[in-house]
Amino acid sequence: MIRRIVSISLLLASVAHADPAADYAEHCAACHGEDRLGGTGPALIPETLGRLKGIETIIAEGRVSTQMIGYAEQLSPDAIAALAAYIQTPLEQRPDWTAGDMVASREMNPDYRPADAPVFKADPMNITLVVETGDHHVSVLDGDSFEVLDRFATPFAVHGGPKFDPQGRFVYIMSRDGWVQKYDIWSLAEVGRIRAALNSRNIAISPDGEWLAVANYLPESLTILDDDLNPADLIAVEAEGTPSRVSAVYQAPQRGSFVLALKDAAEIWEVTPSDHAIRRIPISEPLDDFFFSPDYKQVIGANRTGDSGVVVDLDDGHEVARLPLPGMPHLGSGITWELEGRRVMATPHLGEGVLSVIDMADWSLVKQIQTSGPGFFLRGHATSPYIWADVFFGPHRDEMHVIDKQTLEIVRTLAPFPGQTFAHSEFTRDGSHVLVSLWEDEGAVVVYDAKTLEEVRRLPMRKPSGKYNVWNKITFEDGTSH
Ligand code: DHE
């Protein structure tokens, strides 16, 4: 016992003697910036690294398929541990990000030549993009043959759904580091990228495809870009003089606006894309994680305690209903369909193995479906009798439930990779196939026949996360979360 205490003390002493600031300056600053706000490499601040696992291993061994080399030969394990702790420490001064910084960061691809027509034979409306978070790439899949047409590098840690322009030709992809990348699907080429903020949440596109809105935590703001990635505005978000992080921004096509969920303010903001006019809707408490009625007149958001869904009428600003949804409903993943003549929506809960099915006419609870653990993502398709619900958290994260839309019963549970995360599904344009991610570094996209539920293909991928079908996204197909 005494020996163990001595060795722990020695370890702490050597960590204490490590000089992570000097090690950072020597080994990391050239790529990640002297201020830790990123350069050719991502920002190394807690806001960005928050959910990254194995930071010490990455410092020691590097990252395959990136420019990050390993430092195990140059730094002791203690120095690496100290460096990992250092980059997870908040910056002493809150960093700023200005319109000038944005302009300076904008890099357009000098080799980009827009094609007059798609450079491939596949149906451009049945392209599916697969975000591969394992090595920060996107694969462009032909949704009929499942051939990979292109695989391109993205900024670090892409999060949220990429957004397609209304023609389904261009796609905008956002990273937690605040980079927005524009890619031309017809030409299979990157158009360019810009850093819209230091830490961002998600991105939305205006109904006419001319404006992009980026929701930011750092600085607390909404960035508006034009479709050529020129900054048009950086709107500081605050309520009563206190800045508020923007949890997410949503496109509301029928309203012709962007709707903002604010993390730190009891308000919903609605912003007009072209003139950036702001409408502030006071609410009783901050709401997060929005789902909209099909006409975008009402929004349901989760309250901070994660036990209720609160419905707000966006026209008159009044609270319309409050549903008991304990266990943190993940409303943003909600999907809708017709159940015996009524439109219902389903939402998984992040805190418990339950899916809530809600009648959208009066926001009453239709049923809570028990699942084998908390889920994250749902998908359906107008042509399919089923919804696909993963079990992202807990011991059953290797399971995917297939649920009958009419009986609300689980009809099949797929678990082809015991012990490995099997999550997030997406249908092809015609609803004939479903693509599911084996969400592991040496992962895969597994293609199922949507009727027989039999596996038809396995496509190797590096930790695939979300998958996005052009047609399903631009037509706001019922079964896809927006
Ligand atoms: Fe997400 C979408 C918020 C953690 C993967 N996630 C979204 C959206 C929001 C959101 C607001 C909708 C954006 C859009 O598409 O426009 N996510 C949050 C969180 O608040 C949370 C819980 C904590 C956080 O750190 O941000 C969170 N999300 C995660 C993850 O840990 C996931 C699993 C892995 C990752 O890449 O970070 C993750 N989120 C995703 C994915 C989507 C997403 C794949 C797009 C889903 C879709 O099918 O459209």
Side-chain angles (χ1 to χ4, degrees):
M1 179 65 167
I2 290 173
R3 215 146 109 227
R4 192 148 172 257
I5 291 171
V6 170
S7 61
I8 289 174
S9 314
L10 282 173
L11 174 71
L12 288 175
S14 60
V15 171
H17 284 132
D19 187 349
D23 287 338
Y24 182 89
E26 184 176 349
H27 301 294
C28 317
C31 293
H32 297 280
E34 284 174 22
D35 48 11
R36 287 169 46 204
L37 294 177
T40 51
L44 298 181
I45 52 176
E47 291 85 347
T48 304
L49 295 170
R51 303 178 69 82
L52 185 66
K53 295 203 178 83
I55 293 177
E56 290 179 38
T57 310
I58 295 170
I59 297 173
E61 297 172 12
R63 265 180 179 263
V64 181
S65 312
T66 72
Q67 292 173 42
M68 174 72 193
I69 55 165
Y71 289 90
E73 307 224 321
Q74 297 165 64
L75 297 172
S76 69
D78 296 341
I80 289 175
L83 191 52
Y86 175 77
I87 60 175
Q88 291 174 89
T89 308
L91 293 170
E92 274 171 26
Q93 284 203 321
R94 282 193 68 71
D96 200 10
W97 192 250
T98 63
D101 294 321
M102 268 193 262
V103 172
S105 72
R106 184 171 173 273
E107 295 165 19
M108 301 312 278
N109 175 6
D111 301 325
Y112 170 62
R113 302 280 174 277
D116 295 334
V119 295
F120 47 81
K121 292 214 166 57
D123 172 6
M125 290 292 126
N126 193 23
I127 297 293
T128 294
L129 300 187
V130 184
V131 174
E132 295 182 66
T133 54
D135 62 353
H136 311 284
H137 277 69
V138 162
S139 281
V140 183
L141 272 189
D142 171 350
D144 291 296
S145 68
F146 304 111
E147 183 196 343
V148 177
L149 302 175
D150 187 27
R151 189 170 188 277
F152 60 92
T154 66
F156 178 80
V158 167
H159 178 239
K163 299 296 176 320
F164 299 94
D165 78 327
Q167 286 70 43
R169 170 175 183 164
F170 295 104
V171 63
Y172 300 88
I173 298 167
M174 189 221 73
S175 75
R176 287 185 186 263
D177 251 3
W179 284 93
V180 177
Q181 177 182 36
K182 179 175 180 181
Y183 179 84
D184 178 353
I185 295 174
W186 283 16
S187 313
L188 297 178
E190 173 168 344
V191 181
R193 55 179 80 188
I194 186 169
R195 192 168 192 183
L198 293 171
N199 188 249
S200 301
R201 301 286 300 158
N202 80 325
I203 188 172
I205 188 164
S206 61
D208 58 10
E210 287 184 15
W211 304 100
L212 300 160
V214 190
N216 307 317
Y217 266 9
L218 200 63
E220 294 89 341
S221 57
L222 183 81
T223 307
I224 308 277
L225 303 172
D226 71 14
D227 61 354
D228 208 22
L229 302 183
N230 292 297
D233 207 346
L234 182 61
I235 303 173
V237 176
E238 53 68 40
E240 292 169 7
T242 306
S244 171
R245 293 168 289 173
V246 183
S247 301
V249 55
Y250 303 88
Q251 60 225 73
Q254 280 85 334
R255 308 180 71 79
S257 65
F258 295 125
V259 176
L260 277 62
L262 306 189
K263 189 86 182 164
D264 311 302
E267 290 184 9
I268 294 172
W269 282 24
E270 187 167 21
V271 175
T272 314
S274 52
D275 63 5
H276 323 157
I278 301 165
R279 179 178 158 231
R280 303 165 78 132
I281 306 170
I283 46 176
S284 58
E285 57 183 323
L287 296 178
D288 219 342
D289 201 13
F290 287 176
F291 187 83
F292 295 85
S293 57
D295 57 8
Y296 283 80
K297 286 202 161 116
Q298 296 183 332
V299 62
I300 176 167
N303 68 350
R304 218 178 234 173
T305 43
D307 61 6
S308 300
V310 180
V311 184
V312 176
D313 186 304
L314 286 173
D315 288 336
D316 64 19
H318 288 135
E319 193 174 307
V320 177
R322 188 169 278 255
L323 286 84
L325 293 175
M328 277 194 288
H330 191 20
L331 296 161
S333 288
I335 58 169
T336 80
W337 71 94
E338 291 282 328
L339 172 64
E340 292 164 358
R342 354 177 235 176
R343 181 143 293 267
V344 296
M345 64 123 10
T347 174
H349 292 221
L350 298 174
E352 57 184 8
V354 156
L355 270 183
S356 289
V357 181
I358 297 162
D359 186 328
M360 298 201 68
D362 60 4
W363 301 99
S364 59
L365 191 62
V366 176
K367 182 173 178 182
Q368 291 206 317
I369 304 169
Q370 300 297 318
T371 59
S372 58
F376 219 112
F377 304 110
L378 293 180
R379 277 289 196 275
H381 193 277
T383 61
S384 170
Y386 307 123
I387 58 174
W388 293 57
D390 60 42
V391 185
F392 201 88
F393 304 100
H396 299 284
R397 65 186 196 286
D398 52 4
E399 294 182 0
M400 175 68 69
H401 293 312
V402 182
I403 298 170
D404 188 300
K405 281 176 174 172
Q406 302 307 314
T407 64
L408 305 182
E409 300 291 336
I410 296 173
V411 293
R412 184 87 63 92
T413 295
L414 305 163
F417 306 95
Q420 297 182 289
T421 304
F422 197 51
H424 193 282
S425 42
E426 172 65 310
F427 281 77
T428 49
R429 172 185 181 171
D430 62 1
S432 64
H433 292 85
V434 182
L435 284 63
V436 183
S437 292
L438 170 61
W439 195 300
E440 301 287 341
D441 201 33
E442 296 297 320
V445 163
V446 183
V447 184
Y448 286 91
D449 182 306
K451 282 207 177 77
T452 64
L453 309 183
E454 296 302 323
E455 179 180 330
V456 294
R457 286 285 286 277
R458 238 174 235 201
L459 315 166
M461 300 266 171
R462 295 286 307 280
K463 204 171 191 181
S465 58
K467 299 163 295 300
Y468 309 91
N469 179 272
V470 171
W471 179 258
N472 294 342
K473 282 294 177 194
I474 66 172
T475 59
F476 289 77
E477 155 63 41
D478 278 354
T480 183
S481 40
H482 309 300

